[in-house]
Amino acid sequence: TTTVPTLPSATTAVLSSPPSASTPASLLPSDVSTVLTSCDLIVGLHSDSAIEPVIDYALLHNKPFAVLPCCVFPNFFPHRKYVHPQTGAALPVRSFEDFCEYLKQKNPRIQSEVLPFEGRNVVLFAY
């Protein structure tokens, strides 16, 4: 069992993508970088094709993160390959399990846990 630490006085930002007429002025695209750099934790919940950029940003900026991957989109991302843990072969990412393994292989700090609900319930995180 892994315990994820609580972060005191964490900054939270909810970004809609793409911004719409109802997007608060404080979250317009010119301010997104400022918002992200001020966050203490980055969370991606079923954010489809944005999961990988969320992880990449968090790793690059040494930010803790938690994501729940869902859609794999193998036809949109044919370049994705992971190293099969048993054979060492580089294989294309085709399934949800492949996708989680591919994402975990980005950095040895990335851990995973299964959450207690049905559906896509694997959380990947690093802190």
Side-chain angles (χ1 to χ4, degrees):
T1 303
T2 304
T3 303
V4 178
T6 56
L7 299 172
S9 61
T11 303
T12 303
V14 177
L15 303 175
S16 66
S17 179
S20 66
S22 63
T23 302
S26 62
L27 294 180
L28 291 175
S30 62
D31 294 332
V32 171
S33 178
T34 301
V35 170
L36 288 174
T37 57
S38 68
C39 286
D40 297 309
L41 171 69
I42 300 175
V43 177
L45 303 175
H46 294 273
S47 45
D48 292 336
S49 59
I51 286 290
E52 188 170 6
V54 167
I55 291 173
D56 290 344
Y57 181 90
L59 291 171
L60 180 66
H61 296 281
N62 202 30
K63 299 267 186 188
F65 70 87
V67 298
L68 274 86
C70 59
C71 301
V72 179
F73 298 114
N75 295 332
F76 292 146
F77 301 101
H79 66 279
R80 288 178 174 161
K81 304 246 188 270
Y82 74 104
V83 177
H84 190 276
Q86 282 78 35
T87 67
L91 300 173
V93 173
R94 292 279 173 217
S95 69
F96 176 75
E97 292 75 16
D98 296 347
F99 189 38
C100 289
E101 184 63 30
Y102 165 78
L103 294 170
K104 286 171 42 178
Q105 289 179 5
K106 286 180 164 286
N107 189 289
R109 294 183 309 139
I110 300 175
Q111 301 175 52
S112 65
E113 289 290 332
V114 176
L115 300 176
F117 59 83
E118 291 185 33
R120 297 290 193 214
N121 60 353
V122 174
V123 60
L124 302 178
F125 61 94
Y127 54 92

